[in-house]
Amino acid sequence: MADKVKVATASLAGCFGCHMSLLDIDERIIDLVELVEFDRTPLTDIKEIGDCDVGIIEGGVCNAENVEVLREFRRHCKILVSMGACSINGGIPAMRNQYQLKECLEESYLHGMGVEDAQIPNDPEVPLLLNKVHPIHEVVKVDYFLPGCPPPADTIWTFLEELLSGEPIEFAYRQIHYD
Amino acid sequence: MIRHFTIDGIKVPFQERQTIMDAAMAAGIYIPHLCHNPEFRPQGSCRLCTVKVDGRNLAACTTPATDHAEVKSNTKKLMAMRRTLLQLLFVEGNHVCPACEKSGACQLQAVAYYCGMLAPEFTHFYPQREVDASHPEFAIDFNRCILCELCVRASRDADQKSVFAISGRGIHVHLTVNSPSGKLGDSDFDKHDRAAHVCPVGAILPKHTGYDVPIGKRLYDRKPVSMVGDVSDHEED
């Protein structure tokens, strides 16, 4: 049996909606697993990413751990795909860039409604937030962008089919939207 | 005698004093544009209508048509340049389409779809301009403004009010409101003004009407801007 294409996926500052949209390809996932083998992804138990052909990233970069994971993916993947509005321009989470990080933390953990024993989490296990949320292409080189919040399953499927078959990547008008 | 020029090989008739854009629009040929609206004097700020006229890059909206000119618009190079311009507009503002009530009926977004922009690949500016919600019926999100000046021109030329102006220099250029407090609520702005209905993006928005149109039925959901036309063609007072 020929080696299958190795695919890894990750959610950084994402909502897992892009992964749900990937799963919205429904029964076509059976065709997909004929062609690909999943490495590290929220759908498998693999903790460390190995060498992969394709890495698909959902979510922007909002904390130190996101940066580490993203760089790991870039190191191990021949092709890196930025999937969804968040990884492309920060998305809804980047609306916090309107405020100082300090203001956000204080609102959530000190002055928010119903907060008891108010304190901002300070354990070294918790990754520190970055001052701003960033698109992933501001941290690593990105090879392909799949817009949408989330990208429709058909768009993701078209992309994977064309990528795996070596065809040029082209989308129909209604496959592309930013919302 | 009718004079002609060609756009991408198509013969287009024109009359005295018509621009390339005017003649193309009259002939039903779409040239991407954002700051142009035939109701108002063209100004050439968005540069999306840049076409090649006898070998030179010129804005179709401000360039007079000339006899026998050879105009190229739908070329790979010009479309790539338009995608770059669109990316610049996207990173300069906060264009969070998933959280914008203009999504699906926004000309910036529609032109970006038409030109095949998949992502704004530059470093994002994330401006922090405050929203002006002082008016009872309209709000302005200055982080979505693309400085097309259509509201400025509409308020000055159609409404005779001059509610809006552009001020500042360079990246600090921004839309301002002509009122003692600088707030829209303290200006002469009215919901029936032409200026209230010409914004091609989600900057000047009516309140209490967001997300009225179901997904799939919004202005640009089914057909591209080249077939649907401008946002302002579909706005009612």
Side-chain angles (χ1 to χ4, degrees):
Chain A
M1 199 180 87
D3 277 352
K4 286 181 176 181
V5 175
K6 274 196 144 187
V7 178
T9 76
S11 178
L12 306 178
C15 70
F16 278 93
C18 291
H19 277 83
M20 295 310 292
S21 197
L22 168 64
L23 294 179
D24 276 340
I25 63 172
D26 297 335
E27 71 274 14
R28 287 173 288 186
I29 198 139
I30 296 163
D31 301 334
L32 188 63
V33 290
E34 290 292 316
L35 298 169
V36 308
E37 182 188 333
F38 283 105
D39 194 85
R40 176 186 163 166
T41 136
L43 312 169
T44 65
D45 256 345
I46 300 167
K47 310 294 183 207
E48 297 286 333
I49 183 174
D51 286 336
C52 288
D53 299 290
V54 184
I56 304 176
I57 304 283
E58 156 193 339
V61 177
C62 81
N63 66 29
E65 192 215 4
N66 291 160
V67 177
E68 208 180 297
V69 170
L70 179 57
R71 288 191 172 143
E72 279 286 297
F73 264 68
R74 180 69 275 185
R75 265 198 292 275
H76 285 94
C77 300
K78 286 182 198 151
I79 292 167
L80 197 68
V81 185
S82 180
M83 171 169 67
C86 295
S87 66
I88 282 173
N89 69 4
I92 305 256
M95 289 172 85
R96 84 148 151 97
N97 295 352
Q98 288 295 295
Y99 305 94
Q100 298 295 313
L101 174 61
K102 193 163 176 269
E103 288 176 86
C104 298
L105 288 168
E106 287 177 353
E107 178 63 26
S108 299
Y109 293 108
L110 300 185
H111 313 307
M113 278 202 334
V115 171
E116 281 173 38
D117 188 18
Q119 54 178 311
I120 292 169
N122 194 26
D123 192 288
E125 285 240 332
V126 181
L128 287 173
L129 291 171
L130 307 180
N131 274 337
K132 284 198 163 143
V133 178
H134 296 272
I136 67 166
H137 71 256
E138 290 182 12
V139 180
V140 296
K141 183 187 181 293
V142 167
D143 300 297
Y144 292 100
F145 296 90
L146 280 181
C149 184
D154 267 348
T155 307
I156 298 173
W157 180 245
T158 301
F159 172 76
L160 290 172
E161 258 196 327
E162 290 174 343
L163 184 75
L164 295 176
S165 63
E167 301 273 316
I169 304 206
E170 277 166 20
F171 300 104
Y173 177 75
R174 285 165 77 172
Q175 287 185 315
I176 292 299
H177 55 71
Y178 307 150
D179 59 358
Chain B
M1 196 183 106
I2 301 165
R3 297 189 291 168
H4 292 86
F5 63 95
T6 61
I7 297 181
D8 298 330
I10 301 163
K11 215 170 169 190
V12 179
F14 71 97
Q15 288 156 7
E16 192 66 33
R17 296 176 65 82
Q18 262 192 326
T19 60
I20 292 171
M21 179 69 87
D22 292 335
M25 276 182 149
I29 295 169
Y30 175 71
I31 301 173
H33 58 271
L34 287 170
C35 71
H36 186 67
N37 179 329
E39 267 183 74
F40 307 106
R41 210 173 73 187
Q43 66 169 19
S45 63
C46 78
R47 310 315 286 182
L48 279 173
C49 70
T50 300
V51 288
K52 203 150 218 144
V53 186
D54 293 333
R56 291 175 67 200
N57 282 350
L58 294 166
C61 70
T62 55
T63 305
T66 49
D67 210 8
H68 303 302
E70 195 192 318
V71 178
K72 291 200 172 119
S73 172
N74 198 7
T75 69
K76 270 189 179 170
K77 236 180 174 174
L78 285 169
M79 288 306 265
M81 185 214 68
R82 287 174 186 137
R83 282 196 293 276
T84 304
L85 290 169
L86 288 157
Q87 292 190 19
L88 293 169
L89 287 172
F90 270 84
V91 301
E92 250 177 50
N94 295 331
H95 296 284
V96 190
C97 301
C100 179
E101 54 266 58
K102 194 83 172 187
S103 193
C106 165
Q107 205 168 320
L108 173 66
Q109 190 190 57
V111 174
Y113 293 165
Y114 175 81
C115 294
M117 186 192 94
L118 292 180
E121 296 172 41
F122 297 107
T123 301
H124 285 63
F125 284 56
Y126 295 124
Q128 297 185 321
R129 303 181 202 108
E130 248 177 65
V131 169
D132 180 348
S134 58
H135 194 277
E137 284 151 328
F138 271 79
I140 307 181
D141 186 338
F142 295 95
N143 299 309
R144 297 174 184 161
C145 174
I146 56 166
L147 304 166
C148 68
E149 291 196 54
L150 279 172
C151 60
V152 177
R153 285 177 277 171
S155 187
R156 182 190 61 215
D157 304 340
D159 306 326
Q160 313 290 320
K161 284 185 178 179
S162 287
V163 169
F164 299 103
I166 299 290
S167 66
R169 289 182 191 279
I171 191 60
H172 304 295
V173 167
H174 61 285
L175 183 65
T176 54
V177 176
N178 180 15
S179 70
S181 62
K183 293 284 179 195
L184 191 67
D186 297 326
S187 73
D188 297 335
F189 183 85
D190 183 87
K191 66 173 174 182
H192 300 297
D193 287 353
R194 193 67 194 116
H197 305 278
V198 292
C199 181
V201 297
I204 301 177
L205 278 175
K207 288 184 177 179
H208 320 300
T209 61
Y211 307 115
D212 274 3
V213 183
I215 287 172
K217 292 195 170 169
R218 300 171 305 180
L219 197 54
Y220 300 114
D221 275 343
R222 290 152 190 266
K223 286 179 186 164
V225 62
S226 56
M227 295 166 80
V228 173
D230 295 351
V231 167
S232 61
D233 297 345
H234 300 269
E235 285 265 341
E236 292 155 30
D237 281 6

